[in-house]
Amino acid sequence: MPTPRTVFVPAYAKINLTLNVLGKRPDGYHALASVMQTVSLADTLLIRTGESETVSCDVDVPELRSEQNLALRAAHLLRETAGRPLGADIELRKVVPIQAGLGGGSSDAATALTALSALWDLHLPPGRLEELGAQLGSDVPFLVQGGTALVEGRGEVVTPLPDMRPLWLIVAKPAVNVSTAEIFRALAPADFGHDEDTRAVVSAIRRGADLPVEWLSNTLERVAIERYPEIAAVRSTLEHAGASPVRMSGSGPTLYAPFAHLGQAAEVYGRVAGALPQVWLCHTVTRTQVAASRPERQEFSSR
Ligand code: C5P
């Protein structure tokens, strides 16, 4: 049995700075062009290895305690890939809301994959964790490394982009839960096609220019807002408080507003904090910061 190790690892949420849906694929998924960004809103995984030969996951949210839990499925998948009776006990502390468009479950899975591959000394070839992640969900490959990236295909084609200047963000979740499949199903052919927004944002990030906030966009906003008027109500509260632009993340319902300066973000946050059901002030997290939070860069504590 290997030496027991215990680590705490944050599982950062993501937002979509852009999300263009290009069309429907023969496999039923949609072809995307999206700029994704990890943010400081995060769940925490406490992982213990070296004490058992099975995997388990205890979650502080009862409805996530099942075999379908993505962190647990990630641990099982990695153990099968290794082909050895490796063990891990995971405690998952949820902060990121579920069914929110923030990739919370996907990030738990991506974090379990990266943390366990280091703790179990698997030395997998580059790209293997992303491949395994794609079997668990479309956002998982991006969240293996996080930071800022262009994400294409159904989510599995990830091109890392240079770090942006830090952005402050107000993130607000309207009081509805949204099924991603339902939102994608409701798209009309007229929603498909162009990716100028994504190209413009990618080109500005590559040039090291300020984020062109006028290009932030999300094809899924139209159908999500049509179905859930709560989203428009939260957007309007944020806009009246001085946030601009306000965009939806993923399939929603969560909205975010970017700010270059903490002072501006804090002022708007102060105006909306009491008026919205769930709202956070957070910031962007770079790929380097994500990497620094992972076990291979932490001192292992042994008992
Ligand atoms: O991959 P994931 O399980 O996160 O996707 C949830 C649902 O969202 C899929 O079942 C599919 O209906 C839809 N989806 C899609 N195209 C994508 C990603 C997700 O149609 N690129």
Side-chain angles (χ1 to χ4, degrees), residues 28-32 106 136-139 153-155 180-181 184:
Y29 282 87
H30 290 79
L32 309 176
S106 301
L136 298 165
S138 303
D139 291 338
R154 59 164 265 241
T180 302
F184 272 104

Side-chain angles (χ1 to χ4, degrees), residues 209-278:
D210 284 338
L211 184 69
V213 291
E214 67 281 10
W215 285 105
L216 304 188
S217 76
N218 183 340
T219 304
L220 302 176
E221 267 183 31
R222 185 190 65 77
V223 283
I225 291 175
E226 214 169 78
R227 280 177 164 58
Y228 300 100
E230 295 88 341
I231 302 175
V234 171
R235 164 173 283 167
S236 156
T237 304
L238 288 165
E239 286 174 347
H240 279 104
S244 176
V246 178
R247 288 281 168 261
M248 193 175 84
S249 183
S251 55
T254 304
L255 298 167
Y256 68 89
F259 298 86
H261 302 288
L262 173 59
Q264 301 163 336
E267 211 171 291
V268 174
Y269 179 80
R271 292 189 199 118
V272 298
L276 294 177
Q278 281 187 295

Side-chain angles (χ1 to χ4, degrees), residues 57-68:
C57 182
D58 185 27
V59 198
D60 58 354
V61 175
E63 64 206 275
L64 297 181
R65 273 179 219 143
S66 88
E67 286 298 312
Q68 292 314 305

